[in-house]
């Protein structure tokens, strides 16, 4: 436990410069954006130059860039992400409203990806070089090559429009019924998760195959233990160490892919919030959403590092 605590403290200390770098990068990118908050504020009402100048002065847009950055970081430390120039609502409030849906979509997609990858990856390894393995490898190769947005469009056409099994768009809150919620989230989660599942299948298959070739597996099976017991008790625990590392990076892909998937299925999540803000020229909202997603990605990788340490005793010994 002491090793885990020390590693966690080191990671948290490293997070400080990393987060400051992310904040600085997002700040600079948004400052060089062509979207003008002053123009967006008046929403095409043909403001005069004097009105635009007054708005920029009142909101600190004419201050030197270093001073604006200091104010920006100071506001962030107080939990203030700014105010939307269009809706006049707090950016933090808008993100808090949209975040649960993106979290649900990402979590459901992650769950589907893990289940599919474990079932098919282990099956392919057990039936190595036989027809189940070859079929699974072919399917995973197609899945890796297929982008999420293309899968989403195919699913809408086949499962929603042609068959009517699922709604093509819209969202039902889980508080209004788990069944209706699942019907609205199944297609988006599948479209988001299948490319990730395809990548994990190949990695899990390779790891399990390598583990099955080790001497301790042959010894255990030779001593009379059922092969499925050996695989479930020993092989999987050792074989899933490497896929766990890759999974942390894939969660970031799920978060980023949710932006596109939410737009296709018109889900009111973080992705839709950001795309609408980019289209309408609302930089405070774009800035807040990008920062939230980036920080979420960093936190997820920190959690994966801790899990990796828990399941890998050799790493604990090295630490």
């Amino acid at each position: 436990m002491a090793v885990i605590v020390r590693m966690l403290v080191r990671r948290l200390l490293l997070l400080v410069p990393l987060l400051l770098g992310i904040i600085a990068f997002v700040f600079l990118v948004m400052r060089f954006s062509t979207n003008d908050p002053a123009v967006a504020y008046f929403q095409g009402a043909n403001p005069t130059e004097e009105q635009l100048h007054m708005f920029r002065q009142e909101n600190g847009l004419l201050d030197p860039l270093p001073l604006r950055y200091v104010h920006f970081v100071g506001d962030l430390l107080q939990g203030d992400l700014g105010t939307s120039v269009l809706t006049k609502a707090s950016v933090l409030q808008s993100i808090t409203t949209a975040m649960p849906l993106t979290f649900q979509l990402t979590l459901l997609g992650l769950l589907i990806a893990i289940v599919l990858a474990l079932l098919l990856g282990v099956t392919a390894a057990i039936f190595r070089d036989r027809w189940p393995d070859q079929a699974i490898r072919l399917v995973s190769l197609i899945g890796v090559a297929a982008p999420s947005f293309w899968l989403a469009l195919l699913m809408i056409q086949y499962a929603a429009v042609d068959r009517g099994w699922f709604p093509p768009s819209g969202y039902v809150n889980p508080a209004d019924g788990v069944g209706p919620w699942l019907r609205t989230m199944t297609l988006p989660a599948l479209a988001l998760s299948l490319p990730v599942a395809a990548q994990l299948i190949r990695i899990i298959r390779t790891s399990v195959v390598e583990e099955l070739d080790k001497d301790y597996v042959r010894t255990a099976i030779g001593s009379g233990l059922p092969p499925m017991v050996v695989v479930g008790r020993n092989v999987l625990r050792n074989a899933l160490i490497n896929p766990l590392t890759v999974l942390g990076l894939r969660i970031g892909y799920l978060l980023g892919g949710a932006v596109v998937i939410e737009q296709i299925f018109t889900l009111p999540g973080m992705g839709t919030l950001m795309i609408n803000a980019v289209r309408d020229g609302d930089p405070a909202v774009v800035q807040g959403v990008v920062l939230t997603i980036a920080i979420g990605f960093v936190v997820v990788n920190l959690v994966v590092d801790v899990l990796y340490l828990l399941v890998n005793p050799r790493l604990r010994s090295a630490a």
Side-chain angles (χ1 to χ4, degrees):
M1 183 59 70
V3 173
I4 296 176
V5 172
R6 286 200 302 270
M7 190 278 288
L8 188 59
V9 171
R10 286 201 299 267
R11 290 288 195 276
L12 289 174
L13 291 176
L14 289 173
L15 280 184
V16 176
L18 178 60
L19 291 176
L20 287 176
I22 291 172
I23 291 170
F25 177 76
V26 173
F27 174 82
L28 288 174
V29 168
M30 294 309 302
R31 295 295 83 75
F32 289 109
S33 170
T34 56
N35 288 333
D36 189 346
V39 175
Y41 175 80
F42 290 99
Q43 302 183 39
N46 296 322
T48 63
E49 284 299 325
E50 184 180 351
Q51 289 175 313
L52 293 173
H53 180 79
M54 185 173 296
F55 176 87
R56 295 184 183 115
Q57 191 172 33
E58 290 175 352
N59 290 273
L61 299 178
L62 299 179
D63 294 339
L65 200 60
L67 180 60
R68 292 167 64 185
Y69 178 70
V70 170
H71 289 161
F72 176 62
V73 174
D75 291 339
L76 282 181
L77 293 176
Q78 299 176 38
D80 183 8
L81 291 174
T83 303
S84 168
V85 295
L86 295 178
T87 64
K88 315 302 184 293
S90 165
V91 173
L92 182 60
Q93 181 181 356
S94 300
I95 290 175
T96 304
T97 302
M99 188 184 296
L101 189 146
T102 301
F103 178 75
Q104 293 165 23
L105 177 59
T106 303
L107 188 62
L108 186 58
L110 179 63
L111 180 62
I112 293 173
I114 290 175
V115 171
L116 288 176
L118 282 174
L119 288 176
L120 298 180
V122 174
T123 301
I126 293 174
F127 293 94
R128 176 181 11 173
D129 296 330
R130 285 180 275 177
W131 73 262
D133 178 29
Q134 294 171 354
I136 291 172
R137 290 165 66 183
L138 176 61
V139 170
S140 66
L141 183 62
I142 295 173
V144 169
S148 291
F149 71 88
W150 182 74
L151 291 173
L153 295 174
L154 287 182
M155 290 177 183
I156 290 175
Q157 181 63 45
Y158 180 80
V161 177
D162 294 344
R163 299 294 184 274
W165 295 337
F166 300 96
S169 62
Y171 172 70
V172 175
N173 195 294
D176 298 328
V178 176
W181 172 77
L182 274 175
R183 290 193 75 243
T184 58
M185 295 294 287
T186 298
L187 290 186
L190 278 173
L192 187 63
S193 66
L194 289 181
V196 175
Q199 295 172 2
L200 290 176
I201 286 170
R202 300 169 68 85
I203 296 170
I204 290 175
R205 178 198 175 277
T206 301
S207 296
V208 174
V209 164
E210 291 175 354
E211 206 66 27
L212 287 173
D213 288 337
K214 292 185 177 178
D215 292 336
Y216 81 89
V217 177
R218 299 192 189 96
T219 302
I221 294 176
S223 64
L225 286 175
M228 295 308 298
V229 173
V230 177
V231 171
R233 183 184 299 173
N234 303 106
V235 172
L236 275 182
R237 181 176 180 180
N238 296 326
L240 293 181
I241 292 175
N242 290 332
L244 182 62
T245 306
V246 177
L247 182 62
L249 300 175
R250 295 300 92 194
I251 293 175
Y253 170 87
L254 290 173
L255 285 170
V259 174
V260 178
I261 296 300
E262 286 175 5
Q263 278 288 296
I264 293 175
F265 289 93
T266 61
L267 300 174
M270 297 272 283
T272 299
L273 179 65
M274 184 175 71
I275 296 298
N276 291 341
V278 170
R279 182 193 61 213
D280 298 333
D282 200 344
V285 176
V286 178
Q287 187 172 259
V289 173
V290 171
L291 271 177
T292 303
I293 293 176
I295 292 172
F297 178 71
V298 170
V299 171
V300 164
N301 277 274
L302 175 63
V303 173
V304 171
D305 285 344
V306 174
L307 292 176
Y308 189 70
L309 191 64
L310 287 173
V311 301
N312 192 345
R314 289 173 296 180
L315 190 60
R316 289 202 297 272
S317 301

